[in-house]
Amino acid sequence: MTKQTLADLAVFGGPPAFNEILHVGRPNVGDRERLLARIGDMLDRRWLTNHGPFVHELETELAAFLGVRHVVAMCNGTVALEIAARALGLHGEVIVPAFTFVATAHALQWQEITPVFCDVDPHTHLLDPDQIEAMITPRTTGIVGVHLWGQACNVEALSEIAQRRGLRLIYDAAHAFGCSHGDRMIGNFGDAEVFSFHATKFFNTFEGGAVATNDDDLAQRIRLMQNFGFTGLDTVVYVGTNGKMSEVSAAMGLTGLESLDAFVASNRRNYDCYASALAGVPGLRMLRYDGQQRQNYQYVVLELDGAAAISRDDLVSVLHAENVRARRYFYPGVHRMEPYRSYFPHAGLLLPVTERLAQQVLVLPTGTAVSPQDIDRIAQLVAFSVANGAAISRALPDTRGAVA
Ligand SMILES: *Cc1c(COP(=O)(O)O)cnc(C)c1O
């Protein structure tokens, strides 16, 4: 049913457009029989973790897929980032974007490395290389770029700066599994790249992650650090942690890899549906991916600017009432979360683009669980809400900041 009047909107008491909640990042699941067969093998072997055959097979397959020398599978992306930063000897200050998931900064702060927040490009939302030099101090030891929404950072400019200034360069590639830059897959850039295989990501192992690198020595240090620093049964050579991936996660990963093309195809179809259904809605920009690159199309990202008659937060309230769980990313910005907001209360002054995006960006549901028919209805809701934005905003109770 299309909405004809304001009273038809669920936020004002009408029936919701969807009976079931549509999520951003509902997990992609591969072939169930194949997964259960692998889990059966695993139970027969009674080899559940500690570098079992599935982890080994997954690492080998991932390295081949990415065209990279080393892939170390990890328990999650955050621990993978922590270990990569530590194995590279980062300390003091490290430059990072604030328009990212909080784990990018936490992985540093957790080991008392200070994240220094740098602004992003207004068009791509990626770390702005032109602003990095001004943030480098004698304490700076590295840069962590984030391949946001699966788009590659400006890796040429970042490498040039890192080399010239003697800095280490890590990429948080949590969004970018299956994406490319030029003729290489993401996973090959900087000193190391870190993936997340969390359930909500394009490719998942329930919880999981990986570090990819072409540096043999670094890969060796990362392997030791993820296993308590053990070099032999009774020999520990330095402090380590437990970053191991379990066999059941690797089984999920191996199964998911077999369906990767299908996951991309449904994301791509959804992205194209959104793009055509939302074209021409005033004040609304949909982030467009570079068609020359391999992409996973996992994120449908909208920006509502001042020309839209409705605010982003009011639109999110309307959509949530319809059971469309659109999400504000990365509200309010990492620099406005603790402990960073206490440490750097004025960080926002240097982050005007981040501050604006945190107010204007929303991400819409997609993935294998969302159909083109669903998308047509979501797009109609968005277009109707924008067209009637002023009236909706007047009629809504002041819920600013209250949406989940
Ligand atoms: C998901 C995510 C992480 C953290 O990964 P986990 O596997 O959940 O620990 C880090 N950075 C970004 C940008 C992410 O989206």
Short mmCIF file of all heavy atoms in Angstrom, two decimals, residues 319-364:
data_model
loop_
_atom_site.label_atom_id
_atom_site.label_comp_id
_atom_site.label_asym_id
_atom_site.label_seq_id
_atom_site.Cartn_x
_atom_site.Cartn_y
_atom_site.Cartn_z
N LEU A 319 11.11 5.97 9.05
CA LEU A 319 11.43 4.64 8.50
C LEU A 319 11.38 3.56 9.59
O LEU A 319 10.86 2.47 9.34
CB LEU A 319 12.80 4.66 7.82
CG LEU A 319 12.88 5.50 6.54
CD1 LEU A 319 14.31 5.57 6.02
CD2 LEU A 319 11.96 4.96 5.44
N HIS A 320 11.88 3.88 10.76
CA HIS A 320 11.83 2.87 11.84
C HIS A 320 10.39 2.46 12.16
O HIS A 320 10.11 1.29 12.38
CB HIS A 320 12.54 3.39 13.09
CG HIS A 320 14.03 3.29 13.02
ND1 HIS A 320 14.85 3.31 14.11
CD2 HIS A 320 14.85 3.16 11.95
CE1 HIS A 320 16.11 3.20 13.73
NE2 HIS A 320 16.14 3.12 12.42
N ALA A 321 9.49 3.43 12.16
CA ALA A 321 8.09 3.10 12.45
C ALA A 321 7.51 2.17 11.39
O ALA A 321 6.63 1.36 11.68
CB ALA A 321 7.27 4.39 12.54
N GLU A 322 8.04 2.26 10.17
CA GLU A 322 7.58 1.39 9.07
C GLU A 322 8.29 0.03 9.09
O GLU A 322 8.15 -0.75 8.15
CB GLU A 322 7.83 2.06 7.72
CG GLU A 322 7.21 3.44 7.56
CD GLU A 322 5.68 3.45 7.50
OE1 GLU A 322 5.09 2.35 7.33
OE2 GLU A 322 5.09 4.54 7.63
N ASN A 323 9.13 -0.22 10.12
CA ASN A 323 9.95 -1.43 10.23
C ASN A 323 11.12 -1.47 9.25
O ASN A 323 11.63 -2.53 8.92
CB ASN A 323 9.12 -2.71 10.12
CG ASN A 323 8.38 -2.98 11.41
OD1 ASN A 323 8.83 -2.59 12.48
ND2 ASN A 323 7.24 -3.64 11.31
N VAL A 324 11.53 -0.29 8.80
CA VAL A 324 12.75 -0.19 7.98
C VAL A 324 13.83 0.37 8.90
O VAL A 324 13.82 1.55 9.24
CB VAL A 324 12.54 0.76 6.78
CG1 VAL A 324 13.83 0.88 5.99
CG2 VAL A 324 11.40 0.26 5.91
N ARG A 325 14.75 -0.50 9.33
CA ARG A 325 15.77 -0.09 10.31
C ARG A 325 16.95 0.57 9.62
O ARG A 325 18.07 0.03 9.64
CB ARG A 325 16.27 -1.28 11.11
CG ARG A 325 15.37 -1.74 12.20
CD ARG A 325 15.39 -0.84 13.44
NE ARG A 325 14.27 -1.19 14.27
CZ ARG A 325 14.27 -2.17 15.17
NH1 ARG A 325 15.36 -2.84 15.38
NH2 ARG A 325 13.19 -2.46 15.85
N ALA A 326 16.71 1.72 8.99
CA ALA A 326 17.82 2.51 8.45
C ALA A 326 18.69 2.93 9.63
O ALA A 326 18.20 3.10 10.75
CB ALA A 326 17.27 3.72 7.73
N ARG A 327 19.99 3.09 9.39
CA ARG A 327 20.90 3.39 10.50
C ARG A 327 21.69 4.66 10.23
O ARG A 327 22.09 4.93 9.10
CB ARG A 327 21.90 2.24 10.69
CG ARG A 327 21.25 0.92 11.11
CD ARG A 327 20.69 0.98 12.52
NE ARG A 327 21.69 1.45 13.45
CZ ARG A 327 22.61 0.67 14.05
NH1 ARG A 327 22.64 -0.60 13.81
NH2 ARG A 327 23.48 1.19 14.88
N ARG A 328 21.90 5.42 11.32
CA ARG A 328 22.76 6.60 11.24
C ARG A 328 24.19 6.12 11.40
O ARG A 328 24.54 5.60 12.43
CB ARG A 328 22.43 7.57 12.37
CG ARG A 328 20.96 7.83 12.50
CD ARG A 328 20.70 8.92 13.50
NE ARG A 328 20.89 8.47 14.88
CZ ARG A 328 20.63 9.23 15.93
NH1 ARG A 328 20.18 10.46 15.76
NH2 ARG A 328 20.81 8.78 17.13
N TYR A 329 25.00 6.25 10.36
CA TYR A 329 26.43 5.89 10.46
C TYR A 329 27.21 7.19 10.38
O TYR A 329 26.85 8.04 9.55
CB TYR A 329 26.86 5.05 9.28
CG TYR A 329 26.63 3.57 9.39
CD1 TYR A 329 25.40 3.03 9.72
CD2 TYR A 329 27.66 2.68 9.11
CE1 TYR A 329 25.20 1.66 9.77
CE2 TYR A 329 27.46 1.31 9.17
CZ TYR A 329 26.24 0.81 9.49
OH TYR A 329 26.04 -0.55 9.53
N PHE A 330 28.24 7.45 11.02
CA PHE A 330 28.77 6.88 12.23
C PHE A 330 28.53 7.90 13.31
O PHE A 330 29.43 8.52 13.81
CB PHE A 330 30.28 6.61 12.07
CG PHE A 330 30.56 5.51 11.10
CD1 PHE A 330 30.81 5.79 9.77
CD2 PHE A 330 30.54 4.18 11.51
CE1 PHE A 330 31.06 4.77 8.88
CE2 PHE A 330 30.79 3.17 10.62
CZ PHE A 330 31.05 3.46 9.30
N TYR A 331 27.24 8.09 13.55
CA TYR A 331 26.78 9.09 14.50
C TYR A 331 27.22 8.73 15.91
O TYR A 331 27.10 7.56 16.28
CB TYR A 331 25.24 9.16 14.43
CG TYR A 331 24.62 10.14 15.37
CD1 TYR A 331 24.57 11.48 15.03
CD2 TYR A 331 24.13 9.72 16.60
CE1 TYR A 331 24.01 12.40 15.90
CE2 TYR A 331 23.58 10.64 17.47
CZ TYR A 331 23.52 11.97 17.11
OH TYR A 331 23.00 12.87 17.98
N PRO A 332 27.69 9.68 16.72
CA PRO A 332 27.90 11.11 16.43
C PRO A 332 29.30 11.43 15.92
O PRO A 332 29.71 12.59 15.92
CB PRO A 332 27.68 11.74 17.81
CG PRO A 332 28.22 10.69 18.76
CD PRO A 332 27.94 9.34 18.11
N GLY A 333 30.04 10.41 15.49
CA GLY A 333 31.47 10.58 15.15
C GLY A 333 32.29 10.08 16.33
O GLY A 333 31.94 10.30 17.48
N VAL A 334 33.37 9.36 16.01
CA VAL A 334 34.18 8.75 17.08
C VAL A 334 34.70 9.81 18.05
O VAL A 334 34.78 9.58 19.26
CB VAL A 334 35.34 7.93 16.48
CG1 VAL A 334 36.26 7.40 17.57
CG2 VAL A 334 34.80 6.78 15.65
N HIS A 335 35.03 11.01 17.53
CA HIS A 335 35.59 12.06 18.39
C HIS A 335 34.58 12.55 19.42
O HIS A 335 34.95 13.22 20.38
CB HIS A 335 36.08 13.22 17.53
CG HIS A 335 34.99 13.89 16.75
ND1 HIS A 335 34.26 13.24 15.78
CD2 HIS A 335 34.48 15.14 16.82
CE1 HIS A 335 33.36 14.07 15.29
NE2 HIS A 335 33.47 15.23 15.89
N ARG A 336 33.31 12.24 19.23
CA ARG A 336 32.28 12.65 20.19
C ARG A 336 31.87 11.50 21.11
O ARG A 336 30.87 11.58 21.82
CB ARG A 336 31.04 13.17 19.45
CG ARG A 336 31.26 14.56 18.85
CD ARG A 336 30.02 14.98 18.08
NE ARG A 336 30.14 16.32 17.56
CZ ARG A 336 29.70 17.41 18.19
NH1 ARG A 336 29.09 17.31 19.35
NH2 ARG A 336 29.85 18.60 17.65
N MET A 337 32.61 10.40 21.06
CA MET A 337 32.37 9.28 21.98
C MET A 337 33.48 9.28 23.03
O MET A 337 34.59 9.75 22.79
CB MET A 337 32.40 7.96 21.20
CG MET A 337 31.28 7.86 20.18
SD MET A 337 31.48 6.38 19.18
CE MET A 337 29.97 6.46 18.22
N GLU A 338 33.17 8.68 24.19
CA GLU A 338 34.21 8.54 25.22
C GLU A 338 35.15 7.41 24.84
O GLU A 338 34.74 6.46 24.21
CB GLU A 338 33.57 8.25 26.59
CG GLU A 338 32.74 9.40 27.13
CD GLU A 338 33.56 10.63 27.51
OE1 GLU A 338 34.81 10.62 27.34
OE2 GLU A 338 32.94 11.60 27.95
N PRO A 339 36.42 7.54 25.22
CA PRO A 339 37.02 8.61 26.03
C PRO A 339 37.46 9.82 25.22
O PRO A 339 37.94 10.79 25.79
CB PRO A 339 38.25 7.91 26.62
CG PRO A 339 38.70 6.99 25.54
CD PRO A 339 37.42 6.49 24.89
N TYR A 340 37.27 9.75 23.90
CA TYR A 340 37.88 10.77 23.02
C TYR A 340 37.29 12.15 23.25
O TYR A 340 37.97 13.15 23.20
CB TYR A 340 37.78 10.32 21.55
CG TYR A 340 38.19 8.88 21.43
CD1 TYR A 340 37.26 7.86 21.19
CD2 TYR A 340 39.51 8.50 21.69
CE1 TYR A 340 37.62 6.53 21.17
CE2 TYR A 340 39.88 7.17 21.67
CZ TYR A 340 38.94 6.19 21.41
OH TYR A 340 39.30 4.87 21.42
N ARG A 341 35.97 12.20 23.53
CA ARG A 341 35.36 13.52 23.71
C ARG A 341 35.90 14.21 24.95
O ARG A 341 35.97 15.43 24.98
CB ARG A 341 33.83 13.43 23.73
CG ARG A 341 33.28 12.52 24.79
CD ARG A 341 31.78 12.47 24.75
NE ARG A 341 31.21 13.66 25.36
CZ ARG A 341 29.95 14.01 25.28
NH1 ARG A 341 29.11 13.26 24.59
NH2 ARG A 341 29.51 15.08 25.86
N SER A 342 36.28 13.43 25.97
CA SER A 342 36.89 14.03 27.15
C SER A 342 38.35 14.41 26.88
O SER A 342 38.81 15.47 27.30
CB SER A 342 36.85 13.08 28.33
OG SER A 342 35.51 12.85 28.71
N TYR A 343 39.06 13.55 26.18
CA TYR A 343 40.47 13.85 25.90
C TYR A 343 40.60 15.04 24.95
O TYR A 343 41.50 15.85 25.09
CB TYR A 343 41.15 12.64 25.23
CG TYR A 343 41.32 11.42 26.09
CD1 TYR A 343 41.66 10.20 25.51
CD2 TYR A 343 41.17 11.46 27.47
CE1 TYR A 343 41.84 9.06 26.27
CE2 TYR A 343 41.35 10.32 28.25
CZ TYR A 343 41.67 9.12 27.64
OH TYR A 343 41.84 8.00 28.40
N PHE A 344 39.74 15.09 23.94
CA PHE A 344 39.88 16.11 22.88
C PHE A 344 38.55 16.83 22.67
O PHE A 344 37.90 16.65 21.63
CB PHE A 344 40.30 15.47 21.55
CG PHE A 344 41.34 14.41 21.67
CD1 PHE A 344 41.04 13.08 21.41
CD2 PHE A 344 42.65 14.74 22.03
CE1 PHE A 344 42.00 12.08 21.52
CE2 PHE A 344 43.62 13.75 22.14
CZ PHE A 344 43.29 12.41 21.89
N PRO A 345 38.15 17.66 23.64
CA PRO A 345 36.80 18.25 23.54
C PRO A 345 36.62 19.17 22.32
O PRO A 345 35.50 19.41 21.91
CB PRO A 345 36.65 19.02 24.85
CG PRO A 345 38.00 19.09 25.46
CD PRO A 345 38.82 17.98 24.90
N HIS A 346 37.73 19.63 21.75
CA HIS A 346 37.60 20.55 20.61
C HIS A 346 37.93 19.90 19.28
O HIS A 346 38.09 20.58 18.27
CB HIS A 346 38.49 21.78 20.83
CG HIS A 346 38.21 22.46 22.13
ND1 HIS A 346 36.98 23.01 22.43
CD2 HIS A 346 38.99 22.62 23.23
CE1 HIS A 346 37.02 23.50 23.66
NE2 HIS A 346 38.21 23.28 24.17
N ALA A 347 38.03 18.57 19.25
CA ALA A 347 38.44 17.88 18.01
C ALA A 347 37.53 18.24 16.85
O ALA A 347 37.99 18.35 15.71
CB ALA A 347 38.45 16.37 18.24
N GLY A 348 36.25 18.45 17.12
CA GLY A 348 35.29 18.73 16.06
C GLY A 348 35.63 19.97 15.24
O GLY A 348 35.25 20.06 14.07
N LEU A 349 36.36 20.91 15.84
CA LEU A 349 36.70 22.14 15.11
C LEU A 349 37.54 21.84 13.87
O LEU A 349 37.49 22.58 12.90
CB LEU A 349 37.45 23.11 16.03
CG LEU A 349 36.64 23.65 17.21
CD1 LEU A 349 37.51 24.49 18.13
CD2 LEU A 349 35.46 24.49 16.68
N LEU A 350 38.31 20.75 13.94
CA LEU A 350 39.16 20.40 12.79
C LEU A 350 38.48 19.37 11.90
O LEU A 350 39.10 18.87 10.96
CB LEU A 350 40.50 19.85 13.29
CG LEU A 350 41.45 20.87 13.91
CD1 LEU A 350 42.67 20.18 14.49
CD2 LEU A 350 41.87 21.92 12.89
N LEU A 351 37.22 19.04 12.20
CA LEU A 351 36.55 17.96 11.47
C LEU A 351 35.20 18.39 10.91
O LEU A 351 34.18 17.73 11.14
CB LEU A 351 36.34 16.76 12.43
CG LEU A 351 37.60 16.21 13.11
CD1 LEU A 351 37.23 15.22 14.22
CD2 LEU A 351 38.51 15.54 12.09
N PRO A 352 35.18 19.50 10.15
CA PRO A 352 33.87 19.98 9.70
C PRO A 352 33.12 18.99 8.79
O PRO A 352 31.90 18.89 8.88
CB PRO A 352 34.20 21.29 8.95
CG PRO A 352 35.66 21.19 8.62
CD PRO A 352 36.28 20.38 9.73
N VAL A 353 33.84 18.27 7.96
CA VAL A 353 33.15 17.33 7.06
C VAL A 353 32.60 16.15 7.87
O VAL A 353 31.44 15.74 7.70
CB VAL A 353 34.09 16.84 5.93
CG1 VAL A 353 33.39 15.82 5.06
CG2 VAL A 353 34.59 18.03 5.11
N THR A 354 33.40 15.64 8.78
CA THR A 354 32.95 14.54 9.65
C THR A 354 31.70 14.96 10.43
O THR A 354 30.73 14.19 10.52
CB THR A 354 34.08 14.16 10.64
OG1 THR A 354 35.20 13.73 9.88
CG2 THR A 354 33.63 13.06 11.58
N GLU A 355 31.73 16.18 10.97
CA GLU A 355 30.59 16.66 11.76
C GLU A 355 29.33 16.72 10.90
O GLU A 355 28.25 16.35 11.34
CB GLU A 355 30.89 18.06 12.31
CG GLU A 355 32.06 18.07 13.26
CD GLU A 355 31.59 18.08 14.72
OE1 GLU A 355 31.42 19.18 15.25
OE2 GLU A 355 31.40 17.01 15.29
N ARG A 356 29.47 17.20 9.67
CA ARG A 356 28.31 17.30 8.79
C ARG A 356 27.80 15.91 8.40
O ARG A 356 26.60 15.63 8.47
CB ARG A 356 28.68 18.12 7.53
CG ARG A 356 27.52 18.26 6.55
CD ARG A 356 27.85 19.16 5.37
NE ARG A 356 28.91 18.65 4.52
CZ ARG A 356 28.79 17.61 3.71
NH1 ARG A 356 27.66 16.92 3.65
NH2 ARG A 356 29.80 17.23 2.95
N LEU A 357 28.73 15.03 8.03
CA LEU A 357 28.30 13.69 7.60
C LEU A 357 27.61 12.94 8.75
O LEU A 357 26.63 12.22 8.52
CB LEU A 357 29.50 12.88 7.10
CG LEU A 357 30.15 13.38 5.81
CD1 LEU A 357 31.40 12.55 5.49
CD2 LEU A 357 29.17 13.33 4.64
N ALA A 358 28.10 13.14 9.97
CA ALA A 358 27.48 12.45 11.11
C ALA A 358 26.02 12.88 11.29
O ALA A 358 25.22 12.14 11.83
CB ALA A 358 28.28 12.72 12.39
N GLN A 359 25.69 14.08 10.79
CA GLN A 359 24.30 14.56 10.86
C GLN A 359 23.48 14.17 9.63
O GLN A 359 22.24 14.24 9.67
CB GLN A 359 24.27 16.10 10.96
CG GLN A 359 24.91 16.66 12.22
CD GLN A 359 24.28 16.13 13.49
OE1 GLN A 359 23.07 15.94 13.57
NE2 GLN A 359 25.10 15.86 14.49
N GLN A 360 24.14 13.84 8.52
CA GLN A 360 23.42 13.74 7.24
C GLN A 360 23.39 12.34 6.63
O GLN A 360 22.63 12.10 5.70
CB GLN A 360 24.03 14.71 6.23
CG GLN A 360 23.89 16.17 6.66
CD GLN A 360 24.31 17.15 5.60
OE1 GLN A 360 25.02 16.79 4.66
NE2 GLN A 360 23.89 18.39 5.73
N VAL A 361 24.20 11.42 7.13
CA VAL A 361 24.32 10.11 6.46
C VAL A 361 23.34 9.11 7.08
O VAL A 361 23.18 9.06 8.30
CB VAL A 361 25.77 9.58 6.56
CG1 VAL A 361 25.84 8.10 6.24
CG2 VAL A 361 26.67 10.37 5.62
N LEU A 362 22.69 8.36 6.23
CA LEU A 362 21.98 7.18 6.70
C LEU A 362 22.22 6.03 5.75
O LEU A 362 22.51 6.23 4.57
CB LEU A 362 20.50 7.43 6.95
CG LEU A 362 19.49 7.40 5.85
CD1 LEU A 362 18.11 7.20 6.42
CD2 LEU A 362 19.54 8.71 5.10
N VAL A 363 22.13 4.81 6.30
CA VAL A 363 22.42 3.61 5.53
C VAL A 363 21.14 2.77 5.50
O VAL A 363 20.48 2.60 6.52
CB VAL A 363 23.59 2.83 6.17
CG1 VAL A 363 23.82 1.50 5.48
CG2 VAL A 363 24.86 3.68 6.12
N LEU A 364 20.78 2.31 4.30
CA LEU A 364 19.51 1.60 4.11
C LEU A 364 19.71 0.09 4.09
O LEU A 364 20.79 -0.40 3.74
CB LEU A 364 18.86 2.05 2.80
CG LEU A 364 18.42 3.52 2.76
CD1 LEU A 364 17.91 3.89 1.36
CD2 LEU A 364 17.32 3.78 3.79
#
